[in-house]
Amino acid sequence: ICKTWVSAVAFLVKPLLNNRQRQKRLAWAKDKKDWTAADLEEENVKFPQSVMVWGAMSSAGVGPLCFLRSKVNAAVYQDVLEHFMLPAADQLYGDADFIFQQDLAPAHSAKATSTWFKDHGLPVLNWAANSPDLNPIENLWGIVKRKMRYARPNNAEELKATIRATWALITPEQCHRLIDSMACRIAAVIQAKGAPTKY
């Protein structure tokens, strides 16, 4: 039985700073180094571009990405499952059986979502709460972020294009290695008596 590992992740654009901007940041930081939290609470912060993206992987490779436009509730998540997970499963497995894996985010564990899986005849792997170190897709997102570390997209659309291009470079071999590490992850959790592990 194959398993699909999924999650959503936020990607942020780190602003590219020229020398003048770096000097201004340094001067600002030196000026504010003795301020308290109360002094700083009125300061305005410019946030970088960000996007939320859902993706799936299996030992056969990755499926299509879905960029989310709103907060993920059960209805939004079921729409992602319908329009992205099911096509990904067809692409990755064809007619073969698989078990779907997801974490215990509220949208994932909602009663309506459980009903959706039952209605589609899809088994879901029982999952331990707060266990990103057991989920190999977290490592895959880390690979994607590292590959993007020198990218400097100027806006959300450029960021999406960069993520898509980077995701397309993920090989089935990388996915297989990550999923193949599950036995070691499980053993590490047992050795750590349930505490967080290096994964």
Side-chain angles (χ1 to χ4, degrees):
I1 295 175
C2 299
K3 297 178 179 67
T4 298
W5 305 86
V6 302
S7 73
V9 65
F11 284 89
L12 302 177
V13 177
K14 291 184 181 177
L16 181 62
L17 301 171
N18 60 35
N19 189 50
R20 184 170 171 247
Q21 291 167 325
R22 286 196 302 270
Q23 292 302 318
K24 283 188 172 184
R25 282 167 48 87
L26 178 60
W28 184 91
K30 285 180 177 178
D31 182 57
K32 307 289 191 287
K33 69 180 171 68
D34 295 322
W35 282 31
T36 65
D39 294 325
L40 289 166
E41 69 184 8
E42 298 300 319
E43 291 290 307
N44 291 322
V45 178
K46 182 178 178 181
F47 291 97
Q49 293 290 331
S50 68
V51 295
M52 183 70 76
V53 60
W54 178 95
M57 69 179 283
S58 79
S59 57
V62 296
L65 293 175
C66 173
F67 290 94
L68 304 164
R69 296 179 182 167
S70 63
K71 184 178 177 182
V72 180
N73 58 26
V76 170
Y77 185 57
Q78 290 161 44
D79 191 56
V80 170
L81 295 172
E82 188 76 39
H83 296 100
F84 289 87
M85 188 277 283
L86 290 179
D90 286 341
Q91 171 192 328
L92 296 168
Y93 299 113
D95 293 331
D97 291 335
F98 67 95
I99 297 174
F100 188 77
Q101 184 274 329
Q102 60 185 359
D103 63 23
L104 298 178
H108 301 177
S109 55
K111 187 174 180 181
T113 302
S114 297
T115 300
W116 186 95
F117 279 107
K118 286 176 188 168
D119 290 347
H120 287 78
L122 297 173
V124 178
L125 184 67
N126 184 25
W127 195 246
N130 301 316
S131 299
D133 55 344
L134 281 172
N135 194 342
I137 203 168
E138 299 297 339
N139 302 99
L140 188 63
W141 289 126
I143 290 168
V144 171
K145 286 182 177 182
R146 282 192 299 279
K147 286 179 180 288
M148 291 174 52
R149 70 180 170 267
Y150 299 117
R152 298 294 179 210
N154 294 309
N155 53 51
E157 289 309 310
E158 287 185 15
L159 177 57
K160 289 179 187 178
T162 303
I163 296 168
R164 282 190 195 98
T166 307
W167 188 252
L169 298 174
I170 299 298
T171 66
E173 292 76 20
Q174 286 174 299
C175 295
H176 184 77
R177 279 195 302 273
L178 288 171
I179 291 174
D180 203 37
S181 70
M182 282 305 297
C184 294
R185 293 167 191 265
I186 292 166
V189 169
I190 293 169
Q191 184 175 6
K193 296 182 171 37
T197 68
K198 67 176 184 178
Y199 293 97

